[in-house]
Amino acid sequence: MQENEIITLIRDRDERGAKALLEHDGPLMRYIIAPILPDPRDREDCLSEVAMRVWEKIETFDPERGSWRTWLTVLTRNAALNRARHNRRHADDTELRPDQADPTPTPEESILQKERRDLLNRVLRTLTAKDQALFFRKYYYLQSTSQIAAELGTTERAVEGRLYRIKKHLRKELGGEEHA
C-alpha cells in the first residue's frame, strides 16, 4: 500500500489505515525508537502511542511543509524521547520537593532557545548531505557509533573521525571555541 493510500484511509478514519501504517512504516518507526528506548516493552508501548498520535494528528500533516516520512519520523522520535524523559523522571522520583525549580523555560529562555536552534539549523545546512545524515543519525536519532559504522560499512574510528570534524566545523561556524 502506498503512503497516499495510508494517509487517505487514516483521514477517513478507516481502521485499515492504522493497520497499513504499522505494516508499511512500522519498521522505520521501530528503527527510530530502538536506540532511544532500551526496554522492549517501552518500545512497543511507544510504537502504539505513535500510531495513536498519527491517527489523532493526521490533519496536521501538510505535504507542502514536508514529506510523510519526515513528519512520521519527527512524531516517532518525539514520542520516544518523551517516554525516555518520563522514565528517567519517574525512576527515582518518589516525591516532589518544594525547593525544586520549575523546569519550564521563561519567555526569554524560550526566545534564546529558538534563536540558537535556528542558527544551528542554518549552520547544519552548510554541511554536505552525507555529513548532515551522519550528524542526525548520531545526535538526533541517538544511534550508536557501532550501529552507524555497521550500516555504512565503515569502522567506528572512521565514524568518530567524521563526527569530530563535523563538530569542529560547527563550533567554528557557531562562534564557539575551537579546541582540538
Side-chain angles (χ1 to χ4, degrees), residues 92-153:
D92 55 13
D93 197 38
T94 54
E95 78 179 54
L96 295 174
R97 297 187 323 264
D99 62 327
Q100 194 170 1
D102 182 7
T104 309
T106 65
E108 294 84 5
E109 289 170 333
S110 295
I111 290 170
L112 288 172
Q113 286 174 352
K114 182 181 180 335
E115 288 175 355
R116 284 191 297 260
R117 200 170 32 251
D118 291 346
L119 176 60
L120 178 60
N121 284 331
R122 279 195 305 275
V123 172
L124 285 173
R125 284 192 293 271
T126 67
L127 297 173
T128 66
K130 282 177 65 174
D131 284 348
Q132 282 181 27
L134 179 61
F135 180 87
F136 281 108
R137 288 179 78 163
K138 181 68 177 176
Y139 300 109
Y140 188 79
Y141 297 117
L142 306 177
Q143 293 179 342
S144 69
T145 304
S146 59
Q147 178 184 2
I148 295 168
E151 291 177 5
L152 293 179

Short mmCIF file of all heavy atoms in Angstrom, two decimals, residues 92-153:
data_model
loop_
_atom_site.label_atom_id
_atom_site.label_comp_id
_atom_site.label_asym_id
_atom_site.label_seq_id
_atom_site.Cartn_x
_atom_site.Cartn_y
_atom_site.Cartn_z
N ASP A 92 13.48 7.65 39.92
CA ASP A 92 13.85 7.89 41.32
C ASP A 92 13.05 9.05 41.90
O ASP A 92 13.46 9.67 42.87
CB ASP A 92 15.35 8.15 41.44
CG ASP A 92 15.80 9.29 40.55
OD1 ASP A 92 14.94 10.04 40.03
OD2 ASP A 92 17.01 9.43 40.35
N ASP A 93 11.93 9.34 41.32
CA ASP A 93 11.13 10.50 41.68
C ASP A 93 9.95 10.07 42.55
O ASP A 93 8.82 10.02 42.10
CB ASP A 93 10.64 11.18 40.39
CG ASP A 93 10.15 12.58 40.64
OD1 ASP A 93 10.75 13.27 41.46
OD2 ASP A 93 9.15 12.96 39.99
N THR A 94 10.24 9.75 43.80
CA THR A 94 9.17 9.26 44.66
C THR A 94 8.34 10.38 45.24
O THR A 94 7.16 10.21 45.49
CB THR A 94 9.74 8.39 45.79
OG1 THR A 94 10.73 9.14 46.48
CG2 THR A 94 10.33 7.11 45.23
N GLU A 95 8.95 11.53 45.49
CA GLU A 95 8.15 12.65 45.98
C GLU A 95 8.69 13.97 45.45
O GLU A 95 9.88 14.11 45.19
CB GLU A 95 8.08 12.66 47.50
CG GLU A 95 9.30 13.19 48.20
CD GLU A 95 9.13 13.18 49.71
OE1 GLU A 95 8.81 12.11 50.25
OE2 GLU A 95 9.32 14.24 50.32
N LEU A 96 7.83 14.92 45.28
CA LEU A 96 8.22 16.23 44.79
C LEU A 96 8.75 17.07 45.95
O LEU A 96 8.17 17.06 47.03
CB LEU A 96 7.03 16.93 44.14
CG LEU A 96 6.47 16.28 42.89
CD1 LEU A 96 5.21 16.99 42.44
CD2 LEU A 96 7.50 16.32 41.78
N ARG A 97 9.82 17.78 45.69
CA ARG A 97 10.40 18.64 46.72
C ARG A 97 9.93 20.07 46.49
O ARG A 97 9.92 20.55 45.35
CB ARG A 97 11.92 18.57 46.66
CG ARG A 97 12.48 17.19 46.94
CD ARG A 97 14.00 17.21 47.02
NE ARG A 97 14.65 18.10 46.09
CZ ARG A 97 15.14 17.73 44.90
NH1 ARG A 97 15.03 16.50 44.50
NH2 ARG A 97 15.74 18.61 44.12
N PRO A 98 9.58 20.78 47.54
CA PRO A 98 9.12 22.16 47.37
C PRO A 98 10.23 23.10 46.89
O PRO A 98 9.96 24.13 46.29
CB PRO A 98 8.64 22.57 48.76
CG PRO A 98 9.12 21.53 49.70
CD PRO A 98 9.49 20.32 48.91
N ASP A 99 11.49 22.75 47.12
CA ASP A 99 12.60 23.60 46.70
C ASP A 99 13.03 23.33 45.27
O ASP A 99 13.94 23.97 44.76
CB ASP A 99 13.79 23.42 47.64
CG ASP A 99 14.33 22.00 47.63
OD1 ASP A 99 13.52 21.06 47.45
OD2 ASP A 99 15.56 21.83 47.82
N GLN A 100 12.36 22.41 44.60
CA GLN A 100 12.71 22.05 43.23
C GLN A 100 12.26 23.16 42.28
O GLN A 100 11.12 23.60 42.33
CB GLN A 100 12.06 20.72 42.86
CG GLN A 100 12.60 20.10 41.63
CD GLN A 100 12.07 18.68 41.45
OE1 GLN A 100 11.29 18.19 42.27
NE2 GLN A 100 12.50 18.02 40.42
N ALA A 101 13.18 23.60 41.41
CA ALA A 101 12.88 24.68 40.47
C ALA A 101 11.93 24.20 39.38
O ALA A 101 11.93 23.03 38.99
CB ALA A 101 14.16 25.19 39.84
N ASP A 102 11.13 25.13 38.88
CA ASP A 102 10.21 24.84 37.77
C ASP A 102 11.05 24.65 36.51
O ASP A 102 11.79 25.54 36.11
CB ASP A 102 9.24 26.00 37.60
CG ASP A 102 8.21 25.76 36.51
OD1 ASP A 102 8.16 24.63 35.98
OD2 ASP A 102 7.46 26.70 36.21
N PRO A 103 10.95 23.48 35.85
CA PRO A 103 11.77 23.23 34.67
C PRO A 103 11.29 23.96 33.42
O PRO A 103 11.97 23.97 32.40
CB PRO A 103 11.66 21.72 34.47
CG PRO A 103 10.35 21.35 35.07
CD PRO A 103 10.13 22.32 36.21
N THR A 104 10.13 24.58 33.47
CA THR A 104 9.58 25.29 32.32
C THR A 104 10.44 26.52 32.03
O THR A 104 10.68 27.33 32.92
CB THR A 104 8.13 25.72 32.58
OG1 THR A 104 7.39 24.60 33.05
CG2 THR A 104 7.50 26.31 31.34
N PRO A 105 10.89 26.70 30.78
CA PRO A 105 11.72 27.87 30.47
C PRO A 105 10.90 29.16 30.54
O PRO A 105 9.71 29.18 30.25
CB PRO A 105 12.21 27.61 29.05
CG PRO A 105 11.31 26.59 28.49
CD PRO A 105 10.70 25.84 29.63
N THR A 106 11.60 30.23 30.91
CA THR A 106 10.96 31.55 30.92
C THR A 106 10.76 32.00 29.48
O THR A 106 11.37 31.43 28.56
CB THR A 106 11.85 32.57 31.65
OG1 THR A 106 13.05 32.73 30.90
CG2 THR A 106 12.16 32.14 33.08
N PRO A 107 9.94 33.03 29.25
CA PRO A 107 9.78 33.52 27.87
C PRO A 107 11.12 33.92 27.23
O PRO A 107 11.34 33.65 26.05
CB PRO A 107 8.86 34.72 28.03
CG PRO A 107 8.07 34.44 29.26
CD PRO A 107 9.02 33.69 30.17
N GLU A 108 12.00 34.53 28.02
CA GLU A 108 13.30 34.93 27.49
C GLU A 108 14.13 33.71 27.10
O GLU A 108 14.77 33.69 26.05
CB GLU A 108 14.08 35.77 28.53
CG GLU A 108 13.45 37.10 28.85
CD GLU A 108 12.34 37.01 29.92
OE1 GLU A 108 12.12 35.92 30.50
OE2 GLU A 108 11.69 38.02 30.14
N GLU A 109 14.10 32.69 27.98
CA GLU A 109 14.84 31.46 27.67
C GLU A 109 14.28 30.79 26.42
O GLU A 109 15.03 30.27 25.60
CB GLU A 109 14.77 30.49 28.86
CG GLU A 109 15.57 30.94 30.07
CD GLU A 109 15.30 30.11 31.31
OE1 GLU A 109 14.19 29.54 31.43
OE2 GLU A 109 16.20 30.03 32.15
N SER A 110 12.97 30.82 26.25
CA SER A 110 12.34 30.23 25.07
C SER A 110 12.80 30.92 23.80
O SER A 110 13.09 30.28 22.79
CB SER A 110 10.82 30.29 25.17
OG SER A 110 10.36 29.50 26.23
N ILE A 111 12.87 32.24 23.84
CA ILE A 111 13.32 33.01 22.67
C ILE A 111 14.77 32.69 22.35
O ILE A 111 15.13 32.46 21.20
CB ILE A 111 13.12 34.53 22.90
CG1 ILE A 111 11.62 34.86 22.91
CG2 ILE A 111 13.85 35.35 21.84
CD1 ILE A 111 11.30 36.26 23.37
N LEU A 112 15.62 32.65 23.39
CA LEU A 112 17.03 32.33 23.17
C LEU A 112 17.20 30.91 22.62
O LEU A 112 18.02 30.68 21.72
CB LEU A 112 17.82 32.47 24.47
CG LEU A 112 18.05 33.91 24.95
CD1 LEU A 112 18.69 33.92 26.34
CD2 LEU A 112 18.92 34.67 23.95
N GLN A 113 16.42 29.95 23.13
CA GLN A 113 16.48 28.59 22.62
C GLN A 113 16.10 28.55 21.15
O GLN A 113 16.75 27.87 20.36
CB GLN A 113 15.55 27.67 23.43
CG GLN A 113 16.06 27.34 24.80
CD GLN A 113 15.04 26.56 25.62
OE1 GLN A 113 13.89 26.38 25.21
NE2 GLN A 113 15.45 26.08 26.78
N LYS A 114 15.06 29.27 20.78
CA LYS A 114 14.62 29.29 19.38
C LYS A 114 15.70 29.91 18.49
O LYS A 114 15.98 29.39 17.41
CB LYS A 114 13.31 30.06 19.22
CG LYS A 114 12.81 30.05 17.77
CD LYS A 114 11.54 30.82 17.59
CE LYS A 114 11.01 30.84 16.20
NZ LYS A 114 11.90 30.66 15.10
N GLU A 115 16.31 31.00 18.94
CA GLU A 115 17.37 31.64 18.15
C GLU A 115 18.56 30.70 17.98
O GLU A 115 19.12 30.59 16.89
CB GLU A 115 17.81 32.95 18.81
CG GLU A 115 16.79 34.05 18.69
CD GLU A 115 17.18 35.31 19.46
OE1 GLU A 115 18.22 35.31 20.17
OE2 GLU A 115 16.42 36.30 19.35
N ARG A 116 18.94 30.00 19.05
CA ARG A 116 20.07 29.05 18.95
C ARG A 116 19.71 27.90 18.01
O ARG A 116 20.54 27.46 17.22
CB ARG A 116 20.43 28.52 20.34
CG ARG A 116 21.21 29.52 21.18
CD ARG A 116 21.78 28.86 22.42
NE ARG A 116 20.75 28.34 23.31
CZ ARG A 116 20.32 28.95 24.40
NH1 ARG A 116 20.84 30.11 24.76
NH2 ARG A 116 19.38 28.41 25.15
N ARG A 117 18.48 27.42 18.11
CA ARG A 117 18.04 26.31 17.24
C ARG A 117 18.05 26.75 15.77
O ARG A 117 18.51 26.03 14.90
CB ARG A 117 16.63 25.88 17.67
CG ARG A 117 16.24 24.52 17.24
CD ARG A 117 14.94 24.02 17.87
NE ARG A 117 13.93 25.00 18.18
CZ ARG A 117 13.60 25.38 19.42
NH1 ARG A 117 14.20 24.85 20.46
NH2 ARG A 117 12.66 26.29 19.61
N ASP A 118 17.56 27.98 15.49
CA ASP A 118 17.55 28.49 14.12
C ASP A 118 18.98 28.64 13.57
O ASP A 118 19.25 28.29 12.42
CB ASP A 118 16.83 29.84 14.04
CG ASP A 118 15.33 29.72 14.28
OD1 ASP A 118 14.80 28.59 14.24
OD2 ASP A 118 14.70 30.77 14.53
N LEU A 119 19.88 29.15 14.40
CA LEU A 119 21.28 29.31 13.98
C LEU A 119 21.90 27.93 13.70
O LEU A 119 22.56 27.74 12.67
CB LEU A 119 22.09 30.04 15.05
CG LEU A 119 23.58 30.18 14.78
CD1 LEU A 119 23.84 30.94 13.48
CD2 LEU A 119 24.27 30.86 15.96
N LEU A 120 21.66 26.98 14.58
CA LEU A 120 22.20 25.64 14.37
C LEU A 120 21.66 25.04 13.08
O LEU A 120 22.42 24.46 12.29
CB LEU A 120 21.86 24.72 15.56
CG LEU A 120 22.32 23.27 15.43
CD1 LEU A 120 23.84 23.19 15.29
CD2 LEU A 120 21.84 22.45 16.61
N ASN A 121 20.38 25.19 12.81
CA ASN A 121 19.80 24.67 11.56
C ASN A 121 20.44 25.30 10.34
O ASN A 121 20.70 24.63 9.34
CB ASN A 121 18.29 24.85 11.55
CG ASN A 121 17.58 23.86 12.45
OD1 ASN A 121 18.06 22.75 12.65
ND2 ASN A 121 16.46 24.26 12.99
N ARG A 122 20.68 26.62 10.39
CA ARG A 122 21.34 27.29 9.25
C ARG A 122 22.74 26.73 9.03
O ARG A 122 23.15 26.48 7.90
CB ARG A 122 21.41 28.80 9.49
CG ARG A 122 20.13 29.54 9.16
CD ARG A 122 20.33 31.05 9.06
NE ARG A 122 20.95 31.65 10.23
CZ ARG A 122 20.29 32.05 11.33
NH1 ARG A 122 18.99 31.89 11.41
NH2 ARG A 122 20.93 32.61 12.33
N VAL A 123 23.48 26.53 10.12
CA VAL A 123 24.85 26.02 10.01
C VAL A 123 24.84 24.56 9.53
O VAL A 123 25.66 24.17 8.71
CB VAL A 123 25.60 26.17 11.35
CG1 VAL A 123 26.95 25.48 11.30
CG2 VAL A 123 25.78 27.65 11.68
N LEU A 124 23.88 23.77 10.02
CA LEU A 124 23.80 22.37 9.58
C LEU A 124 23.55 22.28 8.08
O LEU A 124 24.04 21.35 7.43
CB LEU A 124 22.70 21.63 10.34
CG LEU A 124 23.01 21.27 11.79
CD1 LEU A 124 21.78 20.70 12.48
CD2 LEU A 124 24.17 20.29 11.86
N ARG A 125 22.81 23.23 7.53
CA ARG A 125 22.54 23.20 6.09
C ARG A 125 23.80 23.47 5.26
O ARG A 125 23.81 23.23 4.06
CB ARG A 125 21.43 24.18 5.73
CG ARG A 125 20.04 23.67 6.11
CD ARG A 125 18.93 24.50 5.51
NE ARG A 125 18.85 25.84 6.04
CZ ARG A 125 18.15 26.21 7.11
NH1 ARG A 125 17.46 25.33 7.78
NH2 ARG A 125 18.14 27.47 7.49
N THR A 126 24.88 23.96 5.90
CA THR A 126 26.13 24.18 5.17
C THR A 126 26.94 22.89 5.03
O THR A 126 27.89 22.85 4.26
CB THR A 126 27.01 25.25 5.85
OG1 THR A 126 27.48 24.76 7.12
CG2 THR A 126 26.26 26.56 6.02
N LEU A 127 26.56 21.85 5.79
CA LEU A 127 27.25 20.57 5.70
C LEU A 127 26.85 19.83 4.43
O LEU A 127 25.77 20.06 3.89
CB LEU A 127 26.91 19.68 6.91
CG LEU A 127 27.31 20.18 8.29
CD1 LEU A 127 26.74 19.25 9.37
CD2 LEU A 127 28.82 20.27 8.42
N THR A 128 27.69 18.90 4.01
CA THR A 128 27.32 18.04 2.88
C THR A 128 26.15 17.15 3.31
O THR A 128 25.92 16.96 4.51
CB THR A 128 28.50 17.14 2.46
OG1 THR A 128 28.77 16.22 3.53
CG2 THR A 128 29.73 17.96 2.10
N ALA A 129 25.46 16.59 2.36
CA ALA A 129 24.32 15.73 2.66
C ALA A 129 24.77 14.52 3.50
O ALA A 129 24.07 14.12 4.44
CB ALA A 129 23.66 15.25 1.37
N LYS A 130 25.94 13.95 3.19
CA LYS A 130 26.45 12.80 3.96
C LYS A 130 26.74 13.19 5.40
O LYS A 130 26.43 12.44 6.32
CB LYS A 130 27.72 12.25 3.30
CG LYS A 130 27.46 11.40 2.08
CD LYS A 130 28.75 10.94 1.42
CE LYS A 130 29.53 10.02 2.32
NZ LYS A 130 30.71 9.43 1.66
N ASP A 131 27.35 14.37 5.60
CA ASP A 131 27.67 14.81 6.95
C ASP A 131 26.40 15.17 7.73
O ASP A 131 26.31 14.90 8.93
CB ASP A 131 28.65 15.98 6.93
CG ASP A 131 30.07 15.54 6.61
OD1 ASP A 131 30.34 14.32 6.64
OD2 ASP A 131 30.91 16.41 6.34
N GLN A 132 25.43 15.76 7.05
CA GLN A 132 24.15 16.05 7.71
C GLN A 132 23.51 14.75 8.17
O GLN A 132 23.03 14.65 9.32
CB GLN A 132 23.18 16.76 6.75
CG GLN A 132 23.45 18.21 6.56
CD GLN A 132 22.43 18.84 5.61
OE1 GLN A 132 21.30 18.38 5.49
NE2 GLN A 132 22.83 19.90 4.94
N ALA A 133 23.49 13.75 7.30
CA ALA A 133 22.88 12.46 7.65
C ALA A 133 23.60 11.83 8.84
O ALA A 133 22.96 11.31 9.76
CB ALA A 133 22.90 11.53 6.44
N LEU A 134 24.92 11.88 8.83
CA LEU A 134 25.69 11.32 9.93
C LEU A 134 25.39 12.06 11.24
O LEU A 134 25.16 11.44 12.28
CB LEU A 134 27.19 11.38 9.62
CG LEU A 134 28.13 10.84 10.69
CD1 LEU A 134 27.84 9.36 10.96
CD2 LEU A 134 29.57 11.05 10.28
N PHE A 135 25.38 13.38 11.19
CA PHE A 135 25.09 14.19 12.37
C PHE A 135 23.71 13.84 12.94
O PHE A 135 23.56 13.63 14.14
CB PHE A 135 25.17 15.68 12.02
CG PHE A 135 24.90 16.58 13.18
CD1 PHE A 135 25.93 16.96 14.03
CD2 PHE A 135 23.62 17.06 13.44
CE1 PHE A 135 25.68 17.79 15.11
CE2 PHE A 135 23.37 17.89 14.51
CZ PHE A 135 24.41 18.26 15.36
N PHE A 136 22.71 13.77 12.07
CA PHE A 136 21.36 13.48 12.54
C PHE A 136 21.26 12.06 13.09
O PHE A 136 20.57 11.84 14.08
CB PHE A 136 20.32 13.70 11.43
CG PHE A 136 19.98 15.15 11.25
CD1 PHE A 136 20.42 15.85 10.14
CD2 PHE A 136 19.24 15.82 12.20
CE1 PHE A 136 20.12 17.19 9.99
CE2 PHE A 136 18.93 17.16 12.06
CZ PHE A 136 19.37 17.85 10.95
N ARG A 137 21.92 11.11 12.47
CA ARG A 137 21.86 9.74 12.97
C ARG A 137 22.42 9.66 14.39
O ARG A 137 21.87 8.99 15.25
CB ARG A 137 22.64 8.80 12.06
CG ARG A 137 21.93 8.55 10.73
CD ARG A 137 22.70 7.66 9.85
NE ARG A 137 22.51 6.28 10.31
CZ ARG A 137 22.80 5.23 9.58
NH1 ARG A 137 23.28 5.38 8.36
NH2 ARG A 137 22.60 4.03 10.04
N LYS A 138 23.53 10.36 14.62
CA LYS A 138 24.19 10.29 15.93
C LYS A 138 23.48 11.14 16.99
O LYS A 138 23.24 10.67 18.09
CB LYS A 138 25.66 10.73 15.79
CG LYS A 138 26.44 10.68 17.08
CD LYS A 138 26.65 9.27 17.57
CE LYS A 138 27.51 9.26 18.82
NZ LYS A 138 27.63 7.90 19.36
N TYR A 139 23.15 12.37 16.65
CA TYR A 139 22.68 13.30 17.68
C TYR A 139 21.18 13.56 17.67
O TYR A 139 20.65 14.08 18.64
CB TYR A 139 23.45 14.63 17.57
CG TYR A 139 24.92 14.42 17.75
CD1 TYR A 139 25.80 14.54 16.69
CD2 TYR A 139 25.43 14.04 18.99
CE1 TYR A 139 27.16 14.31 16.85
CE2 TYR A 139 26.79 13.81 19.15
CZ TYR A 139 27.64 13.95 18.09
OH TYR A 139 28.97 13.72 18.25
N TYR A 140 20.50 13.21 16.62
CA TYR A 140 19.05 13.40 16.57
C TYR A 140 18.35 12.07 16.81
O TYR A 140 17.45 11.97 17.64
CB TYR A 140 18.64 13.99 15.21
CG TYR A 140 17.19 14.40 15.13
CD1 TYR A 140 16.75 15.59 15.68
CD2 TYR A 140 16.27 13.59 14.48
CE1 TYR A 140 15.41 15.96 15.60
CE2 TYR A 140 14.93 13.96 14.39
CZ TYR A 140 14.52 15.15 14.94
OH TYR A 140 13.19 15.51 14.86
N TYR A 141 18.80 11.02 16.12
CA TYR A 141 18.19 9.70 16.29
C TYR A 141 18.88 8.89 17.38
O TYR A 141 18.44 7.78 17.69
CB TYR A 141 18.20 8.93 14.97
CG TYR A 141 17.37 9.60 13.92
CD1 TYR A 141 17.93 10.09 12.76
CD2 TYR A 141 16.00 9.78 14.10
CE1 TYR A 141 17.16 10.73 11.80
CE2 TYR A 141 15.22 10.42 13.15
CZ TYR A 141 15.81 10.89 12.01
OH TYR A 141 15.05 11.51 11.07
N LEU A 142 19.99 9.42 17.92
CA LEU A 142 20.71 8.81 19.04
C LEU A 142 21.20 7.39 18.74
O LEU A 142 21.20 6.52 19.59
CB LEU A 142 19.84 8.82 20.31
CG LEU A 142 19.30 10.19 20.72
CD1 LEU A 142 18.39 10.05 21.93
CD2 LEU A 142 20.42 11.16 20.99
N GLN A 143 21.63 7.17 17.50
CA GLN A 143 22.16 5.86 17.13
C GLN A 143 23.58 5.73 17.66
O GLN A 143 24.33 6.70 17.73
CB GLN A 143 22.15 5.67 15.62
CG GLN A 143 20.75 5.59 15.04
CD GLN A 143 20.78 5.43 13.54
OE1 GLN A 143 21.77 5.69 12.88
NE2 GLN A 143 19.66 5.00 12.99
N SER A 144 23.96 4.51 17.99
CA SER A 144 25.32 4.28 18.49
C SER A 144 26.31 4.36 17.33
O SER A 144 25.96 4.12 16.17
CB SER A 144 25.41 2.91 19.15
OG SER A 144 25.29 1.89 18.18
N THR A 145 27.55 4.67 17.67
CA THR A 145 28.60 4.74 16.66
C THR A 145 28.77 3.39 15.98
O THR A 145 28.95 3.32 14.76
CB THR A 145 29.93 5.19 17.32
OG1 THR A 145 29.71 6.44 17.98
CG2 THR A 145 31.04 5.34 16.30
N SER A 146 28.67 2.30 16.76
CA SER A 146 28.83 0.97 16.17
C SER A 146 27.71 0.66 15.18
O SER A 146 27.95 0.07 14.12
CB SER A 146 28.91 -0.10 17.26
OG SER A 146 27.74 -0.09 18.05
N GLN A 147 26.49 1.07 15.49
CA GLN A 147 25.37 0.84 14.57
C GLN A 147 25.58 1.63 13.28
O GLN A 147 25.39 1.10 12.19
CB GLN A 147 24.05 1.24 15.22
CG GLN A 147 22.85 1.06 14.30
CD GLN A 147 21.54 1.55 14.92
OE1 GLN A 147 21.51 2.06 16.04
NE2 GLN A 147 20.46 1.39 14.18
N ILE A 148 25.96 2.88 13.41
CA ILE A 148 26.19 3.72 12.23
C ILE A 148 27.29 3.12 11.36
O ILE A 148 27.15 3.00 10.15
CB ILE A 148 26.53 5.17 12.64
CG1 ILE A 148 25.36 5.83 13.35
CG2 ILE A 148 26.95 5.99 11.42
CD1 ILE A 148 25.69 7.14 14.04
N ALA A 149 28.39 2.74 12.01
CA ALA A 149 29.53 2.17 11.27
C ALA A 149 29.11 0.90 10.53
O ALA A 149 29.43 0.72 9.35
CB ALA A 149 30.69 1.87 12.22
N ALA A 150 28.37 0.03 11.21
CA ALA A 150 27.94 -1.22 10.58
C ALA A 150 27.03 -0.95 9.38
O ALA A 150 27.18 -1.57 8.33
CB ALA A 150 27.22 -2.10 11.60
N GLU A 151 26.11 -0.01 9.53
CA GLU A 151 25.18 0.28 8.44
C GLU A 151 25.83 1.02 7.29
O GLU A 151 25.38 0.92 6.15
CB GLU A 151 23.97 1.06 8.98
CG GLU A 151 23.10 0.19 9.89
CD GLU A 151 21.95 0.94 10.50
OE1 GLU A 151 21.74 2.12 10.18
OE2 GLU A 151 21.24 0.32 11.32
N LEU A 152 26.89 1.77 7.57
CA LEU A 152 27.60 2.48 6.50
C LEU A 152 28.74 1.64 5.91
O LEU A 152 29.38 2.06 4.95
CB LEU A 152 28.16 3.81 7.02
CG LEU A 152 27.13 4.87 7.42
CD1 LEU A 152 27.84 6.12 7.95
CD2 LEU A 152 26.23 5.23 6.26
N GLY A 153 29.02 0.50 6.53
CA GLY A 153 30.10 -0.35 6.03
C GLY A 153 31.47 0.25 6.24
O GLY A 153 32.34 0.14 5.38
#
